Amino acid sequence: MTDFNDEEITDFDEILQNNIPESLLPKIQKLLYGHNVKKLKVLDEIETLSNVFNFELKSFRFSAEKEELRMPRIVRVGLIQNHIVLPTTESILRQKNALYTRIKEIIAIAAKAEINIICLQEAWNMPFAFCTREKQPWCEFAECAETGTTTKFLQKICKELNIVVISPILERDEIKSDIIWNTIVVIDNNGIVLGKHRKNHIPRVGDFNESTYYMEGNTGHPVFQTAFGKIAVNICYGRHHPLNWLMFGLNGAEIVFNPSATVSGLSEPLWGIEARNAAIANGYFTCAINRVGTEVFANEFTSGDKKPAHNKFGHFYGSSYVAAPDGSRTPGLSRIRDGLLIVELDLNLCRQVKDFWGFQMTQRLEMYAKSLSDVVNPDYKPQIIG
Amino acid sequence: MTDFNDEEITDFDEILQNNIPESLLPKIQKLLYGHNVKKLKVLDEIETLSNVFNFELKSFRFSAEKEELRMPRIVRVGLIQNHIVLPTTESILRQKNALYTRIKEIIAIAAKAEINIICLQEAWNMPFAFCTREKQPWCEFAECAETGTTTKFLQKICKELNIVVISPILERDEIKSDIIWNTIVVIDNNGIVLGKHRKNHIPRVGDFNESTYYMEGNTGHPVFQTAFGKIAVNICYGRHHPLNWLMFGLNGAEIVFNPSATVSGLSEPLWGIEARNAAIANGYFTCAINRVGTEVFANEFTSGDKKPAHNKFGHFYGSSYVAAPDGSRTPGLSRIRDGLLIVELDLNLCRQVKDFWGFQMTQRLEMYAKSLSDVVNPDYKPQIIG
């Protein structure tokens, strides 16, 4: 199913490891990833299972200083990136069920590594079909956030395994006019739906014709208080918007997940930058997740790039990673394989970094609240000298 | 004078070039730097002179698509990073004059490469002495932005060579109570002072005790209309603040310079991220400049890091670079040598990238103007669910 070009790189870090001399490698890695990321050892059984079930497993940890008044607040997050399982021409139910089966097996293995919070990729229970601009059958994939099949499927798992799952889906608002949204559902570790959030910023670029299907979200910037810390979700294209990241921070988020679907040739030079910058600027952890593989559709479509009509989306390049508030980040998952990235965080690092750097104290929010209010005035005169 | 640890890396890119096989190198570089940065050939004479005058020369260019209605708007920028020349114990005048001489020789060579705009490093005409918390002699380095010796020195050069220079200095406001500011002066290519801007965000971290010397700037977010495009300057620590970058963009900047002084062990994992993210998010070019070397002071000082008193600032790691709105960036200058980074830009790329990605169109400024106004209310209740 994948359309990966053999000449492309599959794993950036592997190339470094295979070519940079041992004496230099840690220094190069430190420049690339910062000083505060270490490998995390997981049970051999988990390694074995990842091979059996054919997905890549990487695991790291970020540490924090010991404090007198607060105990460490250790959380393990799991980021899952995956191909769709069946061709996009299969029935909706078969496609969904195949993805349920695949995700269930990965989550079960993740749970053995004592993961607390799992985030799935954007619109994880379907192909990313918005390239087609066809309304059907893709709108049929949409489900009620609170009572849909996908939510029910995950509720059972969350309760059974005592984990929080962030489930990005296409939402059908059955109560309000059947409108469709791009939504994440947060399911708590007791199996109850804690809440949902709708994507704030919608792309109109290349094959990402999402504005044909849903509008800008109307749920603000909620932070979800879970048993494992305060989390928020910046969905996909929202990662290009520093203000979106900012508001999740101002509402108290300690981890912000960024479930995405994005392709090489489009966003790859931006991928390692944006979520990491957000972690630095806002004093929280960020978890960037991208799907993998090339999805093929029955009917041809064009991409607004002057090229002939075609049936394939570009290559979703995976490369999921986690960034810490101190600017460190993990290496990424593979560019082509399904994968599980396990990362152990000490949430105490967030406040420690804020105290150290002082970005929040020095950010002059009052000035910018006023500046932005001025700018949105249609008569705003930019401050230009000369 | 330098205190560089021999075991540290001097040039990241050189290591890649020397170790990654030729078949993989361009792919690795593309992942690291994006697709739109090419080497720029300069005259052999300039290469030779850079060797004679002992500074590193690197030169690149970013291209843009041809348009029907606008001609390409090609601009060459020059970023200069340098050591202080004399020990910090020398007289103020001797220290300044030695820096004038050094900068003059580098600028003269830059002009041979037909550079239009040059930006010097933060507080370029003095050591970065704010680690000491001593008021004298360091406050004596401060000068009037409009009529000080440093400005006069550069005005002559700008007029003679037909270049714009951004000159970051310690400013003495002789008219308003002799207050000190961290300021950049923009000197136009006719030798006239176009205007100035004062650093908006002041650090209180490690050896960066700048809040002892000057307060947060009161000059807003000016954009300077020069013959070579609309430019702005985000001074040093302001690069950690996405809102600072944002406002320069909303005022129309096409290139934003970030003259800095920052040391390894502190900011290095952040360095390649922040200015590049700003270029992406705001649709302009960014030019990040950092000084090089380790500066030694007469009297010992402490760094708030529990370590014993000492006489040396950490190692300023250079690594100056330019990032483009499409997410591409140049490799950096050396971590230890004086250097000149010449980069040719086509300013048309800014609007082209805005049209392509749509970040400005989709950024929902009205929503955030309201959100920030709410947040700064002392009674603001964060949006927390659960």
Side-chain angles (χ1 to χ4, degrees), chain A residues 7 19 21 27 31 200-201 217 219 221 223 225 237 241 244 251 277 357 359 362 364 368 380 383 385, chain B residues 7 19 21 27 200-201 217 219 221 223 225 237 241 244 251 268 277 357 359 362 364 368 380 383 385:
Chain A
E7 294 190 357
N19 293 288
K27 294 169 192 172
L31 277 182
N200 270 328
H201 300 271
T219 52
H221 295 85
V223 167
Q225 175 73 65
Y237 185 80
H241 291 282
N244 202 31
N251 283 331
N277 190 73
W357 271 112
F359 298 156
T362 58
R364 305 183 73 182
Y368 292 106
Y380 177 69
Q383 187 186 354
I385 295 178
Chain B
E7 293 189 358
N19 294 287
K27 295 168 191 172
N200 269 328
H201 300 272
T219 52
H221 295 84
V223 168
Q225 175 73 65
Y237 185 80
H241 291 282
N244 202 32
N251 283 331
E268 207 158 358
N277 190 74
W357 271 111
F359 298 156
T362 58
R364 305 182 75 182
Y368 292 107
Y380 177 70
Q383 186 185 355
I385 295 178

Side-chain angles (χ1 to χ4, degrees), chain A residues 26-315:
Chain A
K27 294 169 192 172
I28 284 283
Q29 286 171 328
K30 192 176 150 192
L31 277 182
L32 283 171
Y33 301 129
H35 70 283
N36 185 18
V37 57
K38 286 142 202 138
K39 290 218 167 157
L40 174 74
K41 177 79 191 130
V42 294
L43 297 174
D44 291 341
E45 181 200 359
I46 297 169
E47 300 268 8
T48 309
L49 285 168
S50 72
N51 291 327
V52 173
F53 286 93
N54 191 24
F55 64 86
E56 182 190 32
L57 177 74
K58 286 188 176 173
S59 50
F60 301 95
R61 67 185 180 86
F62 296 105
S63 56
E65 297 294 322
K66 267 187 88 163
E67 301 182 16
E68 181 181 333
L69 299 183
R70 295 195 302 182
M71 296 292 288
R73 293 184 300 138
I74 305 295
V75 177
R76 284 199 181 179
V77 296
L79 285 60
I80 296 177
Q81 66 177 39
N82 58 282
H83 292 75
I84 53 171
V85 179
L86 294 180
T88 61
T89 45
E90 287 278 358
S91 80
I92 297 168
L93 284 180
R94 281 176 51 85
Q95 286 188 63
K96 276 197 183 176
N97 284 332
L99 278 160
Y100 292 169
T101 304
R102 178 59 169 156
I103 289 303
K104 193 175 178 176
E105 65 198 22
I106 301 179
I107 291 182
I109 297 165
K112 286 180 191 287
E114 297 180 346
I115 278 177
N116 305 114
I117 308 173
I118 282 176
C119 186
L120 305 174
Q121 66 199 18
E122 187 183 21
W124 73 272
N125 61 358
M126 62 181 290
F128 212 71
F130 313 114
C131 51
T132 63
R133 300 191 306 287
E134 303 157 355
K135 289 298 171 91
Q136 299 306 341
W138 315 116
C139 286
E140 267 206 80
F141 276 87
E143 295 181 19
C144 174
E146 291 77 10
T147 63
T149 323
T150 300
T151 298
K152 281 189 182 142
F153 160 75
L154 288 169
Q155 284 181 292
K156 214 175 140 213
I157 293 177
C158 287
K159 190 172 175 187
E160 198 178 300
L161 301 177
N162 188 34
I163 57 174
V164 171
V165 169
I166 296 163
S167 168
I169 61 167
L170 198 62
E171 178 195 4
R172 169 82 72 186
D173 189 348
E174 294 176 344
I175 291 163
K176 290 198 185 158
S177 311
D178 283 327
I179 287 172
I180 282 177
W181 299 96
N182 183 316
T183 299
I184 63 93
V185 187
V186 179
I187 303 164
D188 219 341
N189 58 320
N190 53 14
I192 293 170
V193 173
L194 187 55
K196 68 183 173 191
H197 171 58
R198 291 168 175 157
K199 184 170 179 172
N200 270 328
H201 300 271
I202 313 298
R204 288 103 166 133
V205 52
D207 281 339
F208 295 83
N209 300 300
E210 296 166 58
S211 68
T212 301
Y213 297 83
Y214 39 80
M215 302 290 283
E216 281 69 16
N218 61 355
T219 52
H221 295 85
V223 167
F224 301 94
Q225 175 73 65
T226 74
F228 313 114
K230 288 189 275 187
I231 66 175
V233 188
N234 180 341
I235 307 175
C236 195
Y237 185 80
R239 76 181 173 279
H240 306 302
H241 291 282
L243 288 164
N244 202 31
W245 292 109
L246 174 70
M247 279 306 301
F248 293 118
L250 292 173
N251 283 331
E254 296 170 300
I255 312 172
V256 181
F257 294 88
N258 175 231
S260 298
T262 186
V263 290
S264 61
L266 179 71
S267 64
E268 207 156 359
L270 290 54
W271 180 249
I273 304 298
E274 293 166 318
R276 190 172 178 191
N277 190 73
I280 295 165
N282 300 293
Y284 51 53
F285 292 92
T286 58
C287 303
I289 302 158
N290 185 23
R291 53 172 74 198
V292 277
T294 300
E295 300 176 2
V296 186
F297 297 92
N299 309 312
E300 63 180 12
F301 54 91
T302 55
S303 301
D305 58 1
K306 304 184 169 58
K307 291 181 187 157
H310 51 98
N311 294 66
K312 288 175 183 169
F313 215 128
H315 175 66

Side-chain angles (χ1 to χ4, degrees), chain B residues 129-310:
Chain B
F130 313 114
C131 51
T132 63
R133 298 191 307 286
E134 303 158 354
K135 289 298 171 92
Q136 299 305 342
W138 315 115
C139 286
E140 268 206 79
F141 276 86
E143 294 181 22
C144 174
E146 289 78 10
T147 63
T149 322
T150 300
T151 298
K152 281 189 182 143
F153 160 75
L154 288 170
Q155 284 181 292
K156 215 174 139 216
I157 293 177
C158 287
K159 191 172 174 185
E160 196 178 301
L161 300 177
N162 187 33
I163 56 173
V164 172
V165 169
I166 296 162
S167 169
I169 62 167
L170 198 61
E171 178 196 2
R172 170 81 72 186
D173 188 348
E174 293 176 345
I175 292 165
K176 290 197 185 159
S177 311
D178 283 326
I179 287 172
I180 282 176
W181 298 97
N182 183 315
T183 299
I184 63 93
V185 186
V186 179
I187 304 165
D188 220 341
N189 58 321
N190 53 12
I192 293 171
V193 173
L194 188 54
K196 67 183 174 191
H197 171 58
R198 291 167 175 160
K199 184 170 178 172
N200 269 328
H201 300 272
I202 312 298
R204 289 100 165 134
V205 51
D207 281 338
F208 295 83
N209 299 301
E210 296 166 58
S211 69
T212 301
Y213 296 84
Y214 38 81
M215 303 290 283
E216 281 70 15
N218 60 354
T219 52
H221 295 84
V223 168
F224 300 93
Q225 175 73 65
T226 74
F228 314 113
K230 288 189 274 187
I231 65 174
V233 189
N234 180 341
I235 307 176
C236 195
Y237 185 80
R239 75 180 173 279
H240 306 302
H241 291 282
L243 288 164
N244 202 32
W245 291 109
L246 174 70
M247 279 306 301
F248 292 118
L250 292 174
N251 283 331
E254 296 171 298
I255 312 171
V256 181
F257 295 88
N258 175 233
S260 299
T262 186
V263 290
S264 61
L266 179 70
S267 64
E268 207 158 358
L270 290 55
W271 179 250
I273 304 299
E274 293 166 318
R276 190 172 178 191
N277 190 74
I280 295 166
N282 300 293
Y284 51 53
F285 291 93
T286 58
C287 302
I289 302 159
N290 185 23
R291 54 171 74 198
V292 277
T294 300
E295 300 176 2
V296 186
F297 297 92
N299 308 313
E300 63 179 13
F301 54 91
T302 55
S303 302
D305 58 0
K306 303 184 170 59
K307 291 182 186 155
H310 51 97

Side-chain angles (χ1 to χ4, degrees), chain B residues 88-105:
Chain B
T88 62
T89 45
E90 287 278 359
S91 80
I92 296 168
L93 284 181
R94 280 176 52 83
Q95 286 189 64
K96 276 196 184 176
N97 284 332
L99 277 160
Y100 291 169
T101 304
R102 178 60 170 155
I103 289 303
K104 193 175 178 176
E105 66 199 21

